[in-house]
Amino acid sequence: TFIIGALLGAAAMFFYLYQYPASPEVVAPPVVAPAPAPAAVPAPVAAPVQPAPAAAPVAQQPPGLANLLMPVEGIDQSKLADTFEQARGEAKHEAIDIAAPKGTKVFAVADGKLVKLFDSKEGGLTVYQFDPSQTYAYYYAHLDRYAEGLKEGMELKRGDLVGYVGNSGNADPATPHLHFTIFELTPEKQWWKGKAINPYPLLAPKPAQ
């Protein structure tokens, strides 16, 4: 009886499932979270451009004034003093004074033409020499005397004797010296007129390389 009842129950269950199949389970699609937006990549920041270091200033020599000779015999260039900007009364000196015993030889600093021998109240016995291009004049003053045979119009070579250190003109009798300067001549090429150029850096010792 038990077995018969179990079989009947199974048959009834089969009949029921056949008539009314189970509705398929609706499965909601999985929720997919949106992918995060890619992080913005910052643009590379250029390193600040450092300005190139300024080049050390280079002393500029006026053209045509290179390799000037020390005009006073026996003078060590390192002993020169730059007196170009010093006051002389109400005026500027605009020259350098090269002290030396009276009678010390004075030489031409470069090649050029001797254009004027002049005895003035201030400069005493003086020599004006033009460079070959007639751009510059070399001025030697307070001489004690001229070299023998010196005359206007003659061509001088670098190192030629032009005179001797003295204290003529308004120089202090106790301090004989050569008053030396350079003029940049005007277009008129007048021996007494021009723009003074400081000869100190042209005669001073050159820095070691």
Side-chain angles (χ1 to χ4, degrees):
T1 302
F2 174 77
I3 294 172
I4 294 173
L7 293 172
L8 291 175
M13 179 63 70
F14 175 80
F15 180 80
Y16 177 81
L17 292 175
Y18 182 79
Q19 292 293 326
Y20 306 99
S23 299
E25 183 180 358
V26 178
V27 179
V31 177
V32 179
V41 178
V45 179
V49 178
Q50 299 295 330
V58 177
Q60 298 296 320
Q61 282 191 348
L65 294 180
N67 197 32
L68 296 185
L69 181 71
M70 171 63 67
V72 179
E73 183 181 42
I75 295 299
D76 184 350
Q77 290 179 316
S78 66
K79 303 301 182 183
L80 291 181
D82 187 356
T83 59
F84 188 83
E85 299 289 342
Q86 289 184 358
R88 291 294 189 272
E90 296 181 357
K92 190 165 67 172
H93 191 209
E94 294 188 336
I96 61 171
D97 289 338
I98 306 175
K102 189 173 181 178
T104 303
K105 292 179 179 179
V106 174
F107 304 113
V109 294
D111 295 351
K113 185 177 182 178
L114 194 163
V115 296
K116 188 65 177 179
L117 300 176
F118 190 63
D119 188 357
S120 71
K121 180 179 179 181
E122 291 79 17
L125 293 180
T126 61
V127 172
Y128 291 83
Q129 176 196 1
F130 285 4
D131 80 312
S133 68
Q134 296 191 8
T135 302
Y136 305 104
Y138 308 117
Y139 176 64
Y140 314 79
H142 301 315
L143 298 175
D144 180 62
R145 66 188 190 278
Y146 294 129
E148 186 176 353
L150 203 69
K151 61 179 183 285
E152 293 178 4
M154 69 185 300
E155 292 292 336
L156 295 172
K157 292 295 184 182
R158 182 178 183 272
D160 282 352
L161 182 66
V162 297
Y164 302 87
V165 170
N167 50 22
S168 59
N170 63 3
D172 184 345
T175 56
H177 64 276
L178 174 69
H179 174 102
F180 178 73
T181 196
I182 302 169
F183 295 103
E184 183 176 0
L185 295 166
T186 64
E188 295 77 21
K189 311 302 181 186
Q190 297 163 326
W191 56 268
W192 67 91
K193 186 177 181 181
K195 177 185 176 183
I197 295 174
N198 188 355
Y200 176 78
L202 303 172
L203 298 178
K206 305 298 184 292
Q209 299 296 323

